[in-house]
Amino acid sequence: MTPSRDSSSSSVEARTDETSLLRHAPLRRFLIARFGSISAQQMLMLAISWHMYDLTSSAWDLGLVGLFQFVPGLATTLVAGHCADRMHRGRMVAACLAVQAVIAALLVIATVGHSMTRDVLLGLSLALGAIRPFQMAGQQALLPMLVPQKLLARSMALGTVVQQISVIAGPAIGGMLFAVSVIAVYLTSAVLFCVSAVMYAWVRYDYVPPPREPVTANTILAGLRFIWGNPLLLGGISLDLFAVLFGGATALLPVYAKQILHVGPQGLGLLRSAPAVGALCVGLFLSRRSIISGVGKKLLVAVAIYGCAIVGFGLSRSFSVSLLLLAISGGADTISVIVRQTLVQLETPDRMRGRVAAVNTLFIGASNQLGEFESGLTAASFGVVGSVVVGGCATILVSLAWSRLFKPLARRDALH
């Protein structure tokens, strides 16, 4: 069978070298759809959390919203990776976004009909958590199919820029729409999901349906086995897992804003935004100039810098210095993310990219959730400042240990 190919994809490599990446139609559609979908998700999560607290006034119920989205993702992640390797990835992501648009519409109907309850919000949160791994696995495995390999690192950086802009813009737009009503937030999210779904459905790439094979435990777990047998990938993915697990300070930012820096809720908003600003700046730079040599050492150094920035933030009593250190941590983390994800994509054959992306997504989700738990646990033992400082020091030690334990990662010179 002759694979379908977008009319703009002939001589892609030659034309993309000569012009901006944004002139490449499939990548442009991908990035626009990515911006719309992430913004919609940020707005939807903001609205659901606010709606839950408005209904119940319970911090416990707020925590349940996050838990109800995390737990089903654990059950569906590996299956999602298998599907991403068996299906057209653009259409798979489009279908996931369409389902989320339906969920947003159901939230509108329940709100207008005055039938919104705690159980409705938790049930729809459960559905969102179950479908999102399919979207993430499809997105991660789709990007390498849209650009030549030598431009993948710059494309990953550009994707990070779009993600950070969405993370900043989504809640800001959602907050403004709250001035109208929560229904306006839900409706806008639904529209953005629909538009993004159409954009993903229009993304074209060389797609050859894989040969049919039975779905077994071996095929579903193939991504885990592939990573375990590849020291470079295992080192990169586990490095991120432990760096975020120990070095994450997000869960304790409200304590810093209120009790240590004394800046109130407005300052808390700036503290939460600072890492995204640093990530955005570094992402913009790397979208123009990718890392060419010494990528393994630079990855490990970036993780160590991230740990140092977290230690400095933990000890800081100056609001401006704290903002700067958090921005540095976000920038260093972005270097780590771009290098690691590019290596994962380049070292994984296309037939395995969906399943490997799913495992990567599982590790990221686990590190974020467990990192918040670790922060709370160590804060109870060492105090808030001690928790952040100990976590940052642990991240630095992880970087040093991984340089010894995973030689192929430390010695990797070029991305390609």
Side-chain angles (χ1 to χ4, degrees):
M1 174 182 290
T2 302
S4 62
R5 189 177 181 87
D6 188 77
S7 60
S8 64
S9 63
S10 59
S11 305
V12 164
E13 184 167 346
R15 288 188 292 111
T16 312
D17 281 336
E18 296 169 1
T19 60
S20 167
L21 283 171
L22 292 178
R23 297 285 298 277
H24 181 40
L27 178 62
R28 187 170 64 248
R29 292 172 191 153
F30 175 87
L31 293 175
I32 294 172
R34 183 176 175 87
F35 172 78
S37 62
I38 296 176
S39 297
Q41 287 166 353
Q42 293 290 320
M43 293 166 60
L44 190 62
M45 290 305 96
L46 180 71
I48 288 175
S49 297
W50 180 90
H51 214 154
M52 176 63 83
Y53 195 71
D54 186 56
L55 284 173
T56 68
S57 301
S58 169
W60 169 254
D61 286 334
L62 280 179
L64 285 180
V65 170
L67 183 65
F68 271 57
Q69 292 184 49
F70 175 68
V71 172
L74 292 177
T76 60
T77 294
L78 295 181
V79 177
H82 177 82
C83 291
D85 286 333
R86 305 295 303 167
M87 302 171 63
H88 189 288
R89 291 162 183 163
R91 295 167 192 161
M92 173 178 163
V93 176
C96 293
L97 295 177
V99 172
Q100 291 176 76
V102 171
I103 292 173
L106 290 174
L107 287 165
V108 171
I109 294 171
T111 304
V112 171
H114 303 288
S115 57
M116 182 65 73
T117 65
R118 170 182 178 272
D119 291 340
V120 169
L121 288 173
L122 289 179
L124 293 178
S125 295
L126 196 71
L128 286 171
I131 197 67
R132 200 153 290 161
F134 291 86
Q135 174 190 340
M136 296 179 69
Q139 281 178 337
Q140 289 187 35
L142 176 60
L143 181 56
M145 307 301 298
L146 305 181
V147 295
Q149 283 194 357
K150 64 180 180 179
L151 296 177
L152 181 58
R154 287 177 56 199
S155 300
M156 297 285 287
L158 200 56
T160 299
V161 168
V162 171
Q163 178 177 339
Q164 295 303 328
I165 293 174
S166 305
V167 169
I168 296 171
I173 296 172
M176 289 187 291
L177 289 172
F178 266 118
V180 180
S181 71
V182 68
I183 296 174
V185 185
Y186 290 142
L187 281 174
T188 304
S189 298
V191 171
L192 285 175
F193 279 131
C194 290
V195 172
S196 299
V198 172
M199 296 295 291
Y200 271 113
W202 280 357
V203 171
R204 298 290 185 268
Y205 66 96
D206 288 347
Y207 172 66
V208 179
R212 292 184 177 275
E213 60 178 337
V215 179
T216 65
N218 285 334
T219 59
I220 292 177
L221 297 175
L224 276 172
R225 291 200 307 272
F226 182 81
I227 292 172
W228 186 260
N230 189 318
L232 179 69
L233 297 187
L234 181 61
I237 292 176
S238 60
L239 175 67
D240 178 76
L241 169 65
F242 286 102
V244 175
L245 176 65
F246 293 127
T250 302
L252 300 177
L253 287 182
V255 183
Y256 268 83
K258 183 176 182 179
Q259 298 182 3
I260 296 175
L261 299 174
H262 306 290
V263 292
Q266 293 80 14
L268 174 60
L270 292 175
L271 289 172
R272 285 188 176 275
S273 299
V277 172
L280 179 61
C281 293
V282 171
L284 283 170
F285 177 80
L286 292 180
S287 68
R288 303 289 296 176
R289 176 181 291 183
S290 60
I291 298 174
I292 298 174
S293 61
V295 296
K297 292 180 180 178
K298 290 173 182 176
L299 169 63
L300 293 166
V301 169
V303 172
I305 292 173
Y306 172 81
C308 290
I310 294 300
V311 171
F313 168 76
L315 297 173
S316 172
R317 295 298 180 271
S318 166
F319 181 56
S320 58
V321 171
S322 296
L323 287 176
L324 176 62
L325 289 169
L326 286 175
I328 291 173
S329 74
D333 184 55
T334 297
I335 295 174
S336 168
V337 168
I338 291 172
V339 171
R340 175 176 51 81
Q341 291 191 355
T342 304
L343 286 174
V344 167
Q345 299 292 1
L346 292 175
E347 292 296 313
T348 306
D350 181 63
R351 60 183 175 81
M352 293 287 298
R353 280 197 176 115
R355 282 167 286 186
V356 170
V359 176
N360 190 28
T361 299
L362 183 62
F363 273 53
I364 292 172
S367 64
N368 289 330
Q369 298 291 332
L370 293 177
E372 293 184 4
F373 174 75
E374 181 271 340
S375 294
L377 184 64
T378 54
S381 302
F382 303 108
V384 174
V385 173
S387 171
V388 175
V389 171
V390 168
C393 291
T395 299
I396 298 171
L397 292 176
V398 166
S399 175
L400 294 173
W402 260 237
S403 68
R404 301 280 185 177
L405 294 174
F406 296 95
K407 296 291 187 182
L409 178 64
R411 293 172 180 170
R412 181 63 176 250
D413 183 47
L415 284 171
H416 303 286

